[in-house]
Amino acid sequence: MKQKKILVGITLLLTCIFSLFVGKNTVNAASDYTGHNSWDQLTTSNGICAGIYSKKDAKLIRFQHHIFSHEKDGSTTPNYLYDAYFGYQVDNGKTVWLNNLKVDQAEYINGTNIIHSVQNHDQLTFDSYYFTPFSGTDDGSSSIMYMLVKVTNNGSSRNISLFSQQNLHLGTDYAAKDEETSYNSTNNYIKEFNAQTGSFALYKNLNSQNQLYQTGNNNQTPVNYLQSKSDLNDSIQGKGNDLVNGFENKDIQVSAGQSQWFGVEIGLREDGNENQLSQTVDSNAQIALQGSPATILQQEENWWQNWHAKERMPKDLSSQEVQTYRQSTAVLKMSQVREKSEGYGQVLASLIPGEWSIAWVRDGSYSIKALIDSGHYQEAKEALNFFLNAKMKQDSDGTNYFQKNYLESNNTSAPIYGLNTKLSSNYLLSVCRYFGDGSEDSDYNDNGPNIEFDGWGLVLWVLDDYINQTHDYSFLLNNQQVLTAQQWINRKQQIVDSANQGLTTAKQATVVAKKTYQSVKARENQVDQTTKATIKTAKGWIKRKQRIVKAAKQALRHAKTAQDKQKAQAWLTTKQAELTKELTKQKQMIDQANQQLTVAKDQLKTAKLALVKAQAKQQTANSWVKAKQAELTKEKVKQEPVIQKNIKSTNWYKITAQDADLLIELVNKQNGLIQPDSSIWEEHWTPYAVLKNAPARQQFAFTDITAWSGLQSAADMAQKLGFNASYQKYSQAASKLKASILKNLVTTEDGQQIIASSVERKGDSQRENDGSTVEAINQGLVSPNSSLAQGMIASYNKHLRIKTGSTPGFMRDQDGDLYDSREWGFIDLRVAGALAKMGDRSESKTLIDWMTSQAEHNYDLIPELLDYNTQDYAGSVPMGGFGSGSYILALNDYYK
């Protein structure tokens, strides 16, 4: 993930040899993979300051004024705290310090930054709590740390004295040289400072009952002094090296089964503003001094409960998944800078003690995605706002430094290796990461800087996700005149859309009416023909009967004898009766046929009338569309100048003109892919053609996948805003890039198609497999139901699966050094998400359960790496976007 660790050697060689005997892991039931405790340090942060509690050492070992490691170029955030811990005496006996006692339990109060440890000794239980508060008075510039302890008496009633020792290094050397201390009797706090640096700390006892205090060095430190004395002596050593201070609450009677609370508040600043820090410290201490230090703990727990109340979490999670999910969102909250500075809102890649307590664009994007998916929209918005307003490193002429000297430079020789690609604007987002003050940073080694384009696509991706889930369009069009103008256009557009829908409906109705008319007319013709035939037949039958009657009459006239006349008369009578019967019968037939014809003719008239009405409505709808389109055109003519005049001050303009447009400009004309960069694994800037191996810049699949996703996202946002020209531009660019990816990066390996790590490694089965390509499935470029998706998973299983230890997990790529070849939690969890999308829920859950089990045994924290052999936590812990963030995304993918 971060800068390469060039650690190839004996360790990896031995593990590879070992793997030949162990063989390849295959994924079995999730229960086959059980995590174990391998991490010792718990971090607390409130976005302003951070501290660390060591379970092994049973004490606080770090407290720093910033949560990031570098505030600006050339600076490093110092750890001011050597250590801090509690001690006690029972009935004025020997002093026992808790850092010398075994820690029976260490944990976070789940879903918070509150560290809780439990120790037992002398029939006493010590519940200690350490945290940097989100609750209480917070001015955004003062660092506050609480250390609280609840002492529970499990024996008979006795007097207990409780001690604390705090050893901050505030000297001129940012260590222990030339420290000064004083006591403020008015506000009841100890001050430790160095007049030359401006750094200083205030220490306030949160239980004033029977208080004593002391500062000093050597034999006068509380720990050393109490070896031969029974109490602290209210003495202050004004100056010295490595001054240490502490408090005592003497002889507090604690009955059997009862508990007593003690605590210390530590305040820290670097600007010498004692008045501001004093106000903050005193304000926060009041609820403890008026009641109990326990109230401060309860206040912080309440803050976290309220924060989690708005949290979105999938249904059906196991209890341990719930715990890890909540702690993961808490880690993201702890990782977001809240200082009153230009760096406000940035999210670090890891918290201390992790090495990557720096804000990367890429890691931050995954953190933002997790914050959005878990319902923490305000934090996501603040992080996006940081990205859109951060300051890039600039050259003397105002051009972005890396843009001018590397991207646009036509010097293609060492060490510049310029891309010779002119961009239409200064880019918006860092090519790597940010200092704590919000300015751009990139790390260098012998192969040049890291210049990465993948973050440019990822920010577009998460910004679109934020808009889709919140409908906060004012964040994009954050100029009231532009927003109002676009709203007027959108209203007119909605009317036109409605009119077009009405016209479509009218046309459909006309088509139906015409078809009905034609059908009815055909039926009327058929009935008419049938009626005529029926009448003709009926008349024929009547004529036959009439001819017979006529013949009977003639026979009667010609009869000579009475007998003949009698017979003729009888025949005539019979035939006349038959004629009458036939007339009746055929009249009914004729009447029925005529009735059917009348009905058919009436239906035809009705159908014709309906057709005429439908045609009239269509004409009206058509006229309405034309009128509304004319109004829309008129509105656009009116509002477009307003938009064009003010659009450059909006986030939409920034994210398109200085990001999406530049991605299009970075497309290599020869193969349609994004120009080579350092990409996700930070391969630095020297070209692959020069080094012939990693680490080297290449045309990485990951950068192209994220660029495609970003352009798709830009098109989606443009469509929602009604910017049709932008929608067409970005959607077409995304389509072209996708086609180029499938043409130039897809290759066949072991009879199946995969996406190669890069153009340069395509076709080399020992180098082309890379877990980061799974994002093609996760972000929708590759259909999860496709053979390509199946081939990619098969390649990960064959080439990237960890072959030693007991894990179902994956390394990140085939580069071969120890850093690459360790297990990557990010890859495990992103593969789990892809498998869930592909319907392979069993394999997906195996990976999720594995990481959940590891977290269960390691304070619900997600690491950067796991050791290749032991699966001990390694790399940076706790990890943000590449740890906690990816865990949240995996659970959301699996549980939908």
Side-chain angles (χ1 to χ4, degrees):
M1 169 207 155
K2 308 295 174 240
Q3 170 179 318
K4 287 280 192 173
K5 309 296 185 189
I6 312 299
L7 299 174
V8 186
I10 295 174
T11 302
L12 184 56
L13 178 62
L14 291 175
T15 60
C16 292
I17 293 172
F18 177 68
S19 71
L20 296 176
F21 295 93
V22 174
K24 179 179 181 296
N25 281 350
T26 55
V27 175
N28 300 308
S31 59
D32 291 347
Y33 304 102
T34 302
H36 63 283
N37 179 257
S38 58
W39 194 248
D40 166 66
Q41 298 182 351
L42 289 85
T43 304
T44 180
S45 164
N46 63 356
I48 299 170
C49 57
I52 294 175
Y53 173 81
S54 169
K55 178 184 177 183
K56 175 175 65 71
D57 299 318
K59 60 184 180 180
L60 284 173
I61 61 171
R62 188 163 184 161
F63 182 36
Q64 61 187 55
H65 184 53
H66 308 294
I67 71 170
F68 40 77
S69 59
H70 304 282
E71 182 179 15
K72 54 189 175 182
D73 195 4
S75 73
T76 298
T77 298
N79 169 30
Y80 288 104
L81 179 65
Y82 181 78
D83 59 13
Y85 46 89
F86 291 106
Y88 73 94
Q89 291 177 354
V90 174
D91 294 329
N92 293 317
K94 180 181 178 181
T95 302
V96 179
W97 293 95
L98 298 193
N99 64 309
N100 295 319
L101 301 181
K102 174 190 174 184
V103 177
D104 299 308
Q105 179 184 354
E107 63 181 358
Y108 285 104
I109 295 180
N110 183 242
T112 77
N113 65 345
I114 304 169
I115 302 162
H116 171 219
S117 69
V118 180
Q119 297 167 280
N120 291 277
H121 197 251
D122 287 343
Q123 293 186 300
L124 298 172
T125 297
F126 299 90
D127 287 277
S128 299
Y129 301 87
Y130 309 92
F131 59 94
T132 54
F134 282 93
S135 61
T137 299
D138 177 7
D139 67 357
S141 61
S142 297
S143 296
I144 301 295
M145 169 79 82
Y146 291 115
M147 45 188 292
L148 312 175
V149 62
K150 179 179 74 169
V151 183
T152 301
N153 185 5
N154 303 310
S156 58
S157 179
R158 45 193 165 165
N159 289 332
I160 299 174
S161 297
L162 205 290
F163 304 93
S164 70
Q165 174 165 295
Q166 300 85 225
N167 184 5
L168 268 69
H169 284 174
L170 296 163
T172 54
D173 56 353
Y174 287 98
K177 185 179 180 181
D178 297 328
E179 295 176 315
E180 301 180 55
T181 59
S182 62
Y183 184 74
N184 187 312
S185 57
T186 302
N187 297 100
N188 192 30
Y189 61 70
I190 296 171
K191 176 184 176 182
E192 181 178 359
F193 61 101
N194 183 283
Q196 295 184 41
T197 67
S199 298
F200 72 103
L202 304 183
Y203 309 89
K204 193 172 185 71
N205 190 347
L206 297 174
N207 185 338
S208 60
Q209 186 177 5
N210 300 346
Q211 174 188 275
L212 298 169
Y213 57 86
Q214 186 167 324
T215 74
N217 57 13
N218 301 321
N219 292 332
Q220 297 302 306
T221 67
V223 167
N224 292 333
Y225 185 81
L226 288 170
Q227 286 182 348
S228 58
K229 307 292 181 180
S230 60
D231 296 310
L232 300 182
N233 63 8
D234 285 352
S235 65
I236 295 292
Q237 182 173 332
K239 294 184 180 181
N241 294 333
D242 199 12
L243 297 180
V244 182
N245 68 85
F247 292 104
E248 175 182 358
N249 293 99
K250 179 177 175 56
D251 292 339
I252 308 298
Q253 185 175 27
V254 184
S255 301
Q258 299 299 305
S259 299
Q260 180 68 41
W261 282 85
F262 302 90
V264 175
E265 178 184 3
I266 306 173
L268 177 67
R269 288 182 76 100
E270 294 179 327
D271 61 358
N273 190 341
E274 182 176 353
N275 182 60
Q276 179 64 64
L277 183 58
S278 175
Q279 290 180 18
T280 301
V281 168
D282 286 343
S283 176
N284 282 309
Q286 290 311 306
I287 62 170
L289 295 172
Q290 293 169 7
S292 163
T295 57
I296 287 180
L297 176 64
Q298 188 61 58
Q299 175 182 264
E300 187 71 7
E301 288 190 73
N302 291 344
W303 187 95
W304 280 103
Q305 288 174 4
N306 291 334
W307 188 78
H308 283 295
K310 62 186 177 184
E311 193 158 283
R312 293 192 312 178
M313 186 181 296
K315 296 180 180 179
D316 304 321
L317 298 185
S318 70
S319 59
Q320 183 55 47
E321 285 172 339
V322 169
Q323 280 201 190
T324 307
Y325 192 102
R326 282 170 56 87
Q327 196 60 46
S328 293
T329 58
V331 166
L332 296 181
K333 180 63 177 174
M334 285 193 278
S335 300
Q336 186 166 33
V337 173
R338 295 173 55 244
E339 287 187 43
K340 287 183 177 179
S341 71
E342 296 298 322
Y344 184 92
Q346 63 177 284
V347 183
L348 307 184
S350 79
L351 287 167
I352 57 169
E355 183 178 355
W356 314 126
S357 52
I358 309 169
W360 265 264
V361 181
R362 176 175 47 255
D363 299 62
S365 295
Y366 283 99
S367 292
I368 293 169
K369 173 63 174 168
L371 286 167
I372 294 168
D373 284 359
S374 59
H376 296 293
Y377 299 134
Q378 184 60 36
E379 286 77 9
K381 183 175 182 177
E382 289 171 352
L384 286 167
N385 196 60
F386 166 76
F387 277 150
L388 271 57
N389 292 283
K391 296 175 293 186
M392 298 303 99
K393 182 176 182 179
Q394 291 193 331
D395 209 73
S396 58
D397 63 357
T399 305
N400 285 352
Y401 174 82
F402 294 105
Q403 181 172 331
K404 176 182 178 180
N405 294 287
Y406 293 94
L407 306 188
E408 297 184 347
S409 175
N410 59 9
N411 180 2
T412 59
S413 60
I416 299 300
Y417 299 113
L419 284 182
N420 195 21
T421 301
K422 182 67 177 176
L423 301 179
S424 60
S425 173
N426 269 349
Y427 60 73
L428 176 69
L429 303 165
S430 173
V431 294
C432 187
R433 60 193 190 184
Y434 302 92
F435 290 114
D437 67 359
S439 60
E440 184 181 26
D441 175 37
S442 180
D443 59 312
Y444 287 78
N445 67 11
D446 291 341
N447 290 326
N450 273 314
I451 297 179
E452 306 150 21
F453 304 136
D454 53 289
W456 297 7
L458 287 170
V459 171
L460 288 164
W461 169 56
V462 294
L463 177 58
D464 184 40
D465 193 48
Y466 170 78
I467 297 300
N468 284 334
Q469 294 204 40
T470 65
H471 307 293
D472 183 10
Y473 298 107
S474 62
F475 183 68
L476 291 175
L477 300 181
N478 55 323
N479 176 287
Q480 191 56 51
Q481 290 175 297
V482 173
L483 184 62
T484 300
Q486 190 60 40
Q487 285 173 342
W488 277 110
I489 292 174
N490 289 346
R491 289 189 190 100
K492 296 294 184 181
Q493 184 66 59
Q494 289 169 2
I495 294 172
V496 168
D497 292 343
S498 178
N500 277 318
Q501 183 59 49
L503 178 58
T504 299
T505 302
K507 286 180 177 179
Q508 292 171 345
T510 299
V511 170
V512 171
K514 188 173 183 179
K515 287 182 178 179
T516 301
Y517 174 76
Q518 291 170 342
S519 175
V520 171
K521 184 173 179 59
R523 184 169 177 274
E524 189 269 345
N525 288 337
Q526 183 180 7
V527 171
D528 183 57
Q529 293 173 4
T530 302
T531 298
K532 289 178 180 178
T534 299
I535 292 173
K536 183 178 179 180
T537 301
K539 288 181 178 179
W541 279 109
I542 292 171
K543 286 181 180 179
R544 291 189 189 98
K545 294 296 183 180
Q546 286 175 335
R547 284 197 296 270
I548 294 172
V549 169
K550 184 177 180 181
K553 287 181 177 179
Q554 289 177 346
L556 178 60
R557 286 198 299 269
H558 291 105
K560 301 297 184 180
T561 66
Q563 185 177 3
D564 288 341
K565 288 182 179 181
Q566 185 179 4
K567 287 181 178 180
Q569 183 63 51
W571 175 251
L572 176 60
T573 301
T574 298
K575 295 303 152 181
Q576 285 177 328
E578 289 179 359
L579 173 58
T580 301
K581 185 177 180 181
E582 193 66 41
L583 286 170
T584 302
K585 175 183 176 182
Q586 296 304 331
K587 184 178 184 301
Q588 290 177 345
M589 295 292 289
I590 292 170
D591 289 345
Q592 186 177 2
N594 282 324
Q595 181 62 36
Q596 289 176 343
L597 180 59
T598 299
V599 171
K601 287 183 179 295
D602 289 342
Q603 289 176 339
L604 181 60
K605 289 178 181 179
T606 301
K608 186 173 183 179
L609 181 60
L611 175 58
V612 170
K613 288 182 178 180
Q615 290 171 331
K617 285 184 178 181
Q618 180 178 334
Q619 184 59 42
T620 300
N622 189 55
S623 299
W624 179 253
V625 167
K626 289 180 179 179
K628 296 301 118 180
Q629 284 177 331
E631 291 180 8
L632 173 60
T633 300
K634 184 178 179 181
E635 192 67 44
K636 285 183 176 180
V637 169
K638 177 182 177 182
Q639 301 297 347
E640 284 294 347
V642 177
I643 293 173
Q644 292 304 316
K645 180 180 178 181
N646 298 283
I647 193 69
K648 290 187 177 181
S649 66
T650 66
N651 286 334
W652 171 251
Y653 181 84
K654 289 181 182 180
I655 206 67
T656 52
Q658 295 182 262
D659 186 4
D661 289 352
L662 305 191
L663 283 175
I664 297 173
E665 294 168 17
L666 282 170
V667 169
N668 184 302
K669 293 180 173 58
Q670 293 181 340
N671 60 14
L673 298 174
I674 301 297
Q675 296 276 21
D677 73 331
S678 304
S679 200
I680 182 174
W681 306 135
E682 306 212 313
E683 304 277 355
H684 288 274
W685 194 240
T686 302
Y688 191 85
V690 174
L691 296 176
K692 307 298 183 184
N693 203 347
R697 88 177 187 214
Q698 299 161 62
Q699 282 190 291
F700 283 102
F702 182 80
T703 297
D704 285 287
I705 292 163
T706 55
W708 170 84
S709 178
L711 291 170
Q712 283 283 94
S713 297
D716 183 59
M717 288 185 283
Q719 188 175 44
K720 287 181 171 62
L721 293 173
F723 296 152
N724 294 325
S726 293
Y727 166 73
Q728 293 295 330
K729 176 171 69 172
Y730 298 129
S731 60
Q732 289 172 11
S735 296
K736 289 179 181 179
L737 183 55
K738 178 177 180 179
S740 297
I741 292 170
L742 297 178
K743 177 182 178 182
N744 294 291
L745 284 164
V746 173
T747 187
T748 300
E749 184 180 84
D750 301 322
Q752 293 181 298
Q753 286 190 319
I754 68 165
I755 293 180
S757 170
S758 67
V759 170
E760 291 79 359
R761 291 174 175 174
K762 180 181 175 182
D764 180 358
S765 63
Q766 301 304 309
R767 293 287 183 269
E768 68 184 354
N769 292 281
D770 190 326
S772 70
T773 62
V774 75
E775 290 305 90
I777 302 171
N778 282 321
Q779 300 208 20
L781 186 144
V782 171
S783 169
N785 300 318
S786 66
S787 59
L788 177 55
Q790 294 292 339
M792 292 167 66
I793 297 298
S795 78
Y796 304 151
N797 286 330
K798 180 176 181 180
H799 297 285
L800 301 180
R801 182 67 62 76
I802 299 295
K803 299 177 181 179
T804 54
S806 177
T807 172
F810 300 91
M811 64 184 75
R812 74 183 190 182
D813 59 29
Q814 295 176 290
D815 276 2
D817 71 21
L818 185 60
Y819 191 54
D820 294 76
S821 300
R822 283 175 165 169
E823 181 175 351
W824 279 73
F826 174 75
I827 298 299
D828 288 358
L829 292 164
R830 295 308 281 162
V831 170
L835 288 168
K837 293 180 175 73
M838 294 167 67
D840 195 343
R841 295 179 58 78
S842 176
E843 296 282 320
S844 175
K845 195 61 162 60
T846 294
L847 290 166
I848 290 172
D849 286 349
W850 163 241
M851 292 306 297
T852 303
S853 177
Q854 284 283 21
E856 180 181 7
H857 293 85
N858 292 279
Y859 319 117
D860 301 318
L861 301 176
I862 304 295
E864 178 187 20
L865 308 172
L866 298 176
D867 182 81
Y868 193 86
N869 289 307
T870 65
Q871 282 73 61
D872 286 347
Y873 272 29
S876 290
V877 186
M879 204 68 179
F882 270 36
S884 298
S886 57
Y887 183 81
I888 292 166
L889 299 185
L891 261 63
N892 278 298
D893 285 335
Y894 181 81
Y895 289 102
K896 309 299 182 185

Coordinates of all heavy atoms in Angstrom, one line a residue, residues 569-596:
Q569 N -106.8 -27.6 -52.2 CA -107.0 -26.6 -51.2 C -106.1 -27.0 -49.9 O -105.5 -26.2 -49.3 CB -108.4 -26.5 -50.8 CG -108.7 -25.5 -49.8 CD -108.4 -24.1 -50.2 OE1 -108.8 -23.7 -51.3 NE2 -107.6 -23.4 -49.4
A570 N -106.2 -28.3 -49.6 CA -105.4 -28.8 -48.4 C -103.9 -28.5 -48.6 O -103.2 -28.1 -47.7 CB -105.7 -30.2 -48.2
W571 N -103.4 -28.8 -49.9 CA -102.0 -28.5 -50.2 C -101.7 -27.1 -50.0 O -100.6 -26.7 -49.5 CB -101.7 -29.1 -51.6 CG -100.3 -28.8 -52.1 CD1 -100.0 -27.9 -53.0 CD2 -99.1 -29.4 -51.6 NE1 -98.6 -27.9 -53.2 CE2 -98.0 -28.8 -52.3 CE3 -98.8 -30.3 -50.6 CZ2 -96.7 -29.2 -52.2 CZ3 -97.5 -30.7 -50.4 CH2 -96.4 -30.1 -51.2
L572 N -102.6 -26.2 -50.6 CA -102.3 -24.8 -50.5 C -102.3 -24.3 -49.1 O -101.4 -23.5 -48.7 CB -103.4 -24.0 -51.3 CG -103.4 -22.5 -51.2 CD1 -102.1 -22.0 -51.8 CD2 -104.6 -21.9 -52.0
T573 N -103.3 -24.8 -48.3 CA -103.3 -24.4 -46.9 C -102.0 -24.8 -46.2 O -101.5 -24.0 -45.4 CB -104.5 -25.1 -46.2 OG1 -105.7 -24.7 -46.9 CG2 -104.6 -24.7 -44.7
T574 N -101.5 -26.0 -46.5 CA -100.3 -26.4 -45.8 C -99.1 -25.5 -46.2 O -98.3 -25.1 -45.4 CB -100.0 -27.9 -46.2 OG1 -101.1 -28.7 -45.7 CG2 -98.7 -28.4 -45.6
K575 N -99.0 -25.2 -47.5 CA -97.9 -24.5 -48.0 C -98.0 -23.0 -47.5 O -96.9 -22.4 -47.3 CB -97.8 -24.5 -49.5 CG -97.5 -25.9 -50.0 CD -96.2 -26.4 -49.4 CE -96.2 -28.0 -49.2 NZ -95.0 -28.4 -48.6
Q576 N -99.2 -22.5 -47.4 CA -99.3 -21.1 -46.9 C -98.9 -21.1 -45.4 O -98.3 -20.1 -45.0 CB -100.8 -20.7 -47.0 CG -101.2 -20.3 -48.5 CD -102.7 -19.9 -48.6 OE1 -103.5 -20.5 -47.9 NE2 -102.9 -19.1 -49.6
A577 N -99.2 -22.1 -44.7 CA -98.8 -22.2 -43.3 C -97.2 -22.3 -43.2 O -96.6 -21.6 -42.4 CB -99.4 -23.4 -42.6
E578 N -96.7 -23.1 -44.1 CA -95.2 -23.1 -44.2 C -94.6 -21.8 -44.5 O -93.5 -21.4 -44.0 CB -94.8 -24.2 -45.1 CG -95.1 -25.7 -44.6 CD -94.6 -26.7 -45.7 OE1 -94.1 -26.3 -46.7 OE2 -94.8 -27.9 -45.4
L579 N -95.2 -21.1 -45.5 CA -94.7 -19.8 -45.9 C -94.8 -18.8 -44.7 O -93.8 -18.1 -44.5 CB -95.5 -19.3 -47.1 CG -95.2 -17.8 -47.5 CD1 -93.7 -17.7 -47.9 CD2 -96.1 -17.4 -48.6
T580 N -95.9 -18.9 -44.0 CA -96.0 -18.0 -42.8 C -95.0 -18.3 -41.8 O -94.3 -17.4 -41.2 CB -97.4 -18.1 -42.2 OG1 -98.4 -17.8 -43.2 CG2 -97.6 -17.2 -41.0
K581 N -94.7 -19.5 -41.6 CA -93.7 -20.0 -40.6 C -92.3 -19.5 -41.1 O -91.5 -19.0 -40.3 CB -93.8 -21.5 -40.5 CG -92.8 -22.0 -39.4 CD -93.0 -23.5 -39.2 CE -92.1 -24.1 -38.2 NZ -92.2 -25.5 -38.0
E582 N -92.1 -19.7 -42.4 CA -90.8 -19.3 -43.0 C -90.6 -17.8 -42.9 O -89.5 -17.3 -42.6 CB -90.7 -19.7 -44.4 CG -89.3 -19.7 -45.0 CD -88.3 -20.6 -44.4 OE1 -88.7 -21.8 -44.1 OE2 -87.1 -20.2 -44.1
L583 N -91.6 -17.0 -43.2 CA -91.5 -15.6 -43.1 C -91.2 -15.2 -41.7 O -90.3 -14.3 -41.5 CB -92.9 -14.9 -43.5 CG -93.2 -14.9 -45.0 CD1 -94.6 -14.5 -45.2 CD2 -92.2 -14.0 -45.7
T584 N -91.8 -15.8 -40.7 CA -91.5 -15.5 -39.3 C -90.0 -15.8 -39.0 O -89.3 -15.0 -38.3 CB -92.4 -16.2 -38.4 OG1 -93.8 -15.9 -38.6 CG2 -92.1 -15.9 -36.9
K585 N -89.6 -17.0 -39.4 CA -88.3 -17.4 -39.1 C -87.2 -16.5 -39.8 O -86.3 -16.1 -39.1 CB -88.1 -18.9 -39.6 CG -86.7 -19.4 -39.5 CD -86.6 -20.8 -40.1 CE -85.1 -21.3 -40.0 NZ -85.0 -22.7 -40.7
Q586 N -87.4 -16.2 -41.0 CA -86.4 -15.5 -41.8 C -86.4 -14.0 -41.3 O -85.4 -13.3 -41.4 CB -86.6 -15.6 -43.3 CG -86.4 -17.0 -43.8 CD -85.1 -17.6 -43.4 OE1 -84.1 -16.8 -43.3 NE2 -85.0 -18.9 -43.3
K587 N -87.6 -13.5 -41.0 CA -87.7 -12.1 -40.5 C -86.8 -12.0 -39.2 O -86.1 -11.0 -39.0 CB -89.1 -11.7 -40.1 CG -89.2 -10.3 -39.7 CD -90.7 -9.9 -39.5 CE -90.8 -8.5 -39.1 NZ -90.1 -8.1 -37.9
Q588 N -86.8 -13.0 -38.3 CA -86.0 -13.0 -37.1 C -84.5 -13.0 -37.5 O -83.7 -12.3 -36.9 CB -86.3 -14.2 -36.2 CG -87.7 -14.2 -35.6 CD -88.0 -15.4 -34.8 OE1 -87.3 -16.4 -34.9 NE2 -89.0 -15.3 -33.9
M589 N -84.2 -13.8 -38.5 CA -82.8 -13.9 -39.0 C -82.3 -12.5 -39.5 O -81.3 -12.1 -39.2 CB -82.6 -15.0 -40.0 CG -82.9 -16.4 -39.5 SD -81.6 -17.0 -38.4 CE -80.2 -17.1 -39.5
I590 N -83.2 -11.9 -40.3 CA -82.9 -10.6 -40.9 C -82.8 -9.6 -39.8 O -81.9 -8.8 -39.8 CB -83.9 -10.3 -42.0 CG1 -83.8 -11.2 -43.2 CG2 -83.7 -8.8 -42.4 CD1 -84.9 -11.1 -44.2
D591 N -83.7 -9.5 -38.9 CA -83.7 -8.5 -37.9 C -82.5 -8.7 -37.0 O -81.8 -7.7 -36.6 CB -85.0 -8.7 -37.0 CG -86.2 -8.2 -37.7 OD1 -86.1 -7.5 -38.7 OD2 -87.3 -8.5 -37.2
Q592 N -82.1 -9.9 -36.7 CA -80.9 -10.2 -35.9 C -79.6 -9.7 -36.6 O -78.8 -9.1 -36.0 CB -80.8 -11.7 -35.5 CG -79.6 -12.0 -34.6 CD -79.6 -13.5 -34.2 OE1 -80.4 -14.3 -34.7 NE2 -78.7 -13.9 -33.3
A593 N -79.6 -10.0 -37.9 CA -78.4 -9.6 -38.7 C -78.3 -8.1 -38.8 O -77.2 -7.5 -38.6 CB -78.5 -10.2 -40.1
N594 N -79.5 -7.5 -39.0 CA -79.5 -6.0 -39.1 C -79.1 -5.4 -37.7 O -78.4 -4.3 -37.7 CB -80.9 -5.5 -39.5 CG -81.1 -5.7 -41.0 OD1 -80.1 -5.5 -41.8 ND2 -82.3 -6.0 -41.4
Q595 N -79.5 -6.0 -36.6 CA -79.2 -5.5 -35.3 C -77.6 -5.6 -35.1 O -77.0 -4.7 -34.5 CB -79.9 -6.3 -34.2 CG -79.6 -5.9 -32.8 CD -80.0 -4.4 -32.5 OE1 -81.0 -4.0 -33.0 NE2 -79.2 -3.7 -31.7
Q596 N -77.1 -6.7 -35.5 CA -75.6 -6.9 -35.3 C -74.9 -5.8 -36.2 O -73.9 -5.3 -35.7 CB -75.2 -8.3 -35.8 CG -75.6 -9.4 -34.8 CD -75.3 -10.8 -35.3 OE1 -75.0 -11.0 -36.4 NE2 -75.3 -11.7 -34.4

